């Protein structure tokens, strides 16, 4: 009877190939030796398999580099046979290098009896794993002159894959050091990129950098989660969060990538359908984040994968369109997305078995993500360079105008000197003519002073006059111990007025706003100036913070309600106002008051414009 049982066992085992163990083997892929069957007709237990209660089960031989069943939520059983023909026991570690499987049960059997059994998966605490590792490691010891069968049951709500290898412990530890170093290198690159650009964003006060940093952090966590690193080092005691974190951070990466692309490609200043598509992509990412907490993992991961694919292709197309429209940084943006998509396409082709299962392929998404964020950083640097060149050209224009004014003044002084010399030679006979010439020179000098202190477009005093008046009022208020308020006013999205309606409309807009502000700042201590570009500044002497706030809000509401008409075009604008108020005292300078008012203006701008912000 016992011989018959052994004969049946040998016949059953010979139905599929067996792994032949030798002491020199360091790593052996299990995929060519795997057979599998799906639990489609009720739960199958290991005792049922060993006792033939489920025969025939319909085992199928694996035909792929790595078994990959996609988003199939039905449990699957796998088996492979291992033969140790040597005279010494052989220790091997079974590695399943797909760390997002929910539930894994592994059984080592000999002669239809369970020798070792393990239970693992990312739904259990990390400390419950047989080997403390980000992948699933199961240590086996195969007896000499034995033939064993390993059974694996996998149940997961995500993609069902089984990339499995048998390792010698020493070879595994050596190989894993390089893989772990690659994970730390990837983490270091992404962290460095995030920290650098976050600091840069705070320095230049550009929200684009914040969105970029959010994308870098999110995509880094997604890539690390696919390799099990966060579960090992960050949240090993939170399997529930580990279950939903992948879907959540995929949604975050979609949202931040869309917001970054929206601002980086300047869609916010362009019309048409592209801005709405960009905002829709960001909303799609927020939906994925919400589904991570409200829907099942299977539903969430399907929608997250769909969102990633659709949004990635969408932004690639938008980048190409903006490139064709000669957007300065669109080429960098398009190249970065193409590199990222290439990495994900490579791993997808490997997962479905169209290309070999190489180690480099497994790291292609991380390599693509690193290259992508590096290219994005170059693009942001290029954007800063473009802005720097624009500011340099503006400064050069201002210097040119200042030089022209000096030359005109020098010419006037030379003419005056020549006139004086001429008058000295003819003083005796042309005294009356000299007096007339002096009157003309005096008038010309007054006109020159008028030009130097007034803005010709708005008929307001200019920046140079503002600085002089501010110092005077600061001294007066300091002596009288009364409040001095400073109000900075900036037109929201003024560049769009210039782009949509032309230079003449923009100049008319500046004139209308100047007249409106002048009509409301009529106190004896009120002075209004055109500071620079579309920015005005009010110096309110002997005016408290409450009074300044009331005046600022009145100016803001009147401006919002004012309709500007230029030829056939009608439009309205809003303004952002930043103000500060203080009683001048020793230890403080007018520049301190200006700095606080400008910070308040920046805060009003950051809050979306059309508002008043106050800094003490």
């Amino acid at each position: 009877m016992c011989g018959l049982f052994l004969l049946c066992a040998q016949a059953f085992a010979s139905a599929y190939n067996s792994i032949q163990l030798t002491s020199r083997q360091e790593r052996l892929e299990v995929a060519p030796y795997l057979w599998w069957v799906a639990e489609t007709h009720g739960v199958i237990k290991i005792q049922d398999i060993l006792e033939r209660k489920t025969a025939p089960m319909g085992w199928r031989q694996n035909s792929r580099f790595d078994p990959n069943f996609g988003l199939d939520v039905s449990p699957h059983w796998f088996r492979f046979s291992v033969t140790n023909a040597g005279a010494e026991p052989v220790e091997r570690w079974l590695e399943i290098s797909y760390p997002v499987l929910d539930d894994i049960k592994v059984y080592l059997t000999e002669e239809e009896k369970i020798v070792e059994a393990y239970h693992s998966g990312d739904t259990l605490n990390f400390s419950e794993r047989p080997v403390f590792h980000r992948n699933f490691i199961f240590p086996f010891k195969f007896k000499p002159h034995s033939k064993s069968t390993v059974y694996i049951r996998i149940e997961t709500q995500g993609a069902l894959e089984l990339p499995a290898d048998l390792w010698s412990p020493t070879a595994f530890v050596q190989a894993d050091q390089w893989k772990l170093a690659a994970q730390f290198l990837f983490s270091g690159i992404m962290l460095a990129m995030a920290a650098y650009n976050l600091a840069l964003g705070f320095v230049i006060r550009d929200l684009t950098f914040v969105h970029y940093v959010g994308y870098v952090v999110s995509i880094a966590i997604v890539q690390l989660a696919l390799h099990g690193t966060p579960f090992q080092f960050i949240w090993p005691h939170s399997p529930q969060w580990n279950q939903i974190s992948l879907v959540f951070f995929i949604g975050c990466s979609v949202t931040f990538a869309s917001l970054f692309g929206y601002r980086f490609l300047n869609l916010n200043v362009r019309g048409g359908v592209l801005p709405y598509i960009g905002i829709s992509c960001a909303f799609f990412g927020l939906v994925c984040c919400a589904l991570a907490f409200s829907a099942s993992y299977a539903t969430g991961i399907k929608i997250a994968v769909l969102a990633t694919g659709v949004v990635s292709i969408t932004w690639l197309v938008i980048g190409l369109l903006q490139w064709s429209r000669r957007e300065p940084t669109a080429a960098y943006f398009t190249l970065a997305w193409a590199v990222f998509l290439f990495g994900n396409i490579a791993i997808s082709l490997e997962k479905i078995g169209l290309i070999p299962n190489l180690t480099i392929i497994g790291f292609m998404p991380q390599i693509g993500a690193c290259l992508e964020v590096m290219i994005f950083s170059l693009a942001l640097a290029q954007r800063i360079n473009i802005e720097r060149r624009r500011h340099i050209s503006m400064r050069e224009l201002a210097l040119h105008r200042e030089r022209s004014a000096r030359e005109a003044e020098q010419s006037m002084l030379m003419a005056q000197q020549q006139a004086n010399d001429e008058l000295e030679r003819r003083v005796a006979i042309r005294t009356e003519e000299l007096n007339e010439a002096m009157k003309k020179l005096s008038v010309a000098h007054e006109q020159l002073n008028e030009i130097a202190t007034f803005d010709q477009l708005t008929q307001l005093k200019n920046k140079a006059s503002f600085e002089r008046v501010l110092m005077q009022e600061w001294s007066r208020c300091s002596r009288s111990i009364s409040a001095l308020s400073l109000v900075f006013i900036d037109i929201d999205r003024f560049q769009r007025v210039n782009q949509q309606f032309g230079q003449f409309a923009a100049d008319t807009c500046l004139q209308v706003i100047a007249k409106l502000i002048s009509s409301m700042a009529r106190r004896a201590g009120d002075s209004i100036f055109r500071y620079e570009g579309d920015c005005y500044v009010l110096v309110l002497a002997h005016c408290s913070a409450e009074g300044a706030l009331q005046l600022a809000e009145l100016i803001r509401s009147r401006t919002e309600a004012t309709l500007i008409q230029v030829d056939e075009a009608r439009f309205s604008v809003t303004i952002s106002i930043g103000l500060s108020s203080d009683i001048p005292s020793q230890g403080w300078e007018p520049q301190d008051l200006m700095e606080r008012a400008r910070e308040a203006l920046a805060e009003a701008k950051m809050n979306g414009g059309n508002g008043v912000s106050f800094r003490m």
Side-chain angles (χ1 to χ4, degrees), residues 496-550:
R496 188 178 299 176
V497 174
N498 197 1
Q499 293 175 348
Q500 291 183 349
F501 303 105
Q503 182 66 42
F504 180 72
D507 291 344
T508 303
C509 176
L510 291 173
Q511 293 170 341
V512 170
I513 300 301
K515 291 179 180 178
L516 187 146
I517 299 172
S518 298
S519 67
M520 287 184 283
R522 292 181 170 274
R523 291 188 320 116
D526 297 347
S527 301
I528 178 173
F529 309 85
R530 183 184 180 189
Y531 189 72
E532 57 186 9
D534 58 328
C535 182
Y536 306 86
V537 62
L538 277 170
V539 178
L540 306 178
H542 312 293
C543 179
S544 65
E546 292 79 8
L549 281 169
Q550 291 178 1

Side-chain angles (χ1 to χ4, degrees), residues 406-453:
R406 284 201 302 266
E407 290 175 354
E409 186 176 4
Q410 289 176 358
S411 299
M412 183 66 68
L413 292 174
M414 290 178 63
Q416 183 179 1
Q417 183 64 38
Q418 292 175 359
N420 288 336
D421 293 342
E422 185 69 19
L423 288 172
E424 287 177 359
R425 289 193 301 267
R426 302 183 180 183
V427 64
I429 59 177
R430 301 187 64 180
T431 303
E432 188 174 351
E433 292 179 2
L434 177 61
N435 292 333
E436 186 67 21
M438 290 297 295
K439 290 180 181 179
K440 291 181 180 180
L441 288 173
S442 179
V443 171
H445 192 266
E446 291 178 359
Q447 291 175 348
L448 184 61
N449 288 335
E450 188 76 12
I451 292 172
T453 58

Side-chain angles (χ1 to χ4, degrees), residues 321-338:
L321 289 175
Q322 293 295 86
W323 193 357
S324 66
R325 295 175 180 176
R326 300 184 183 278
E327 181 68 31
T329 53
Y332 289 97
F333 184 88
T334 306
L335 178 61
W337 273 115

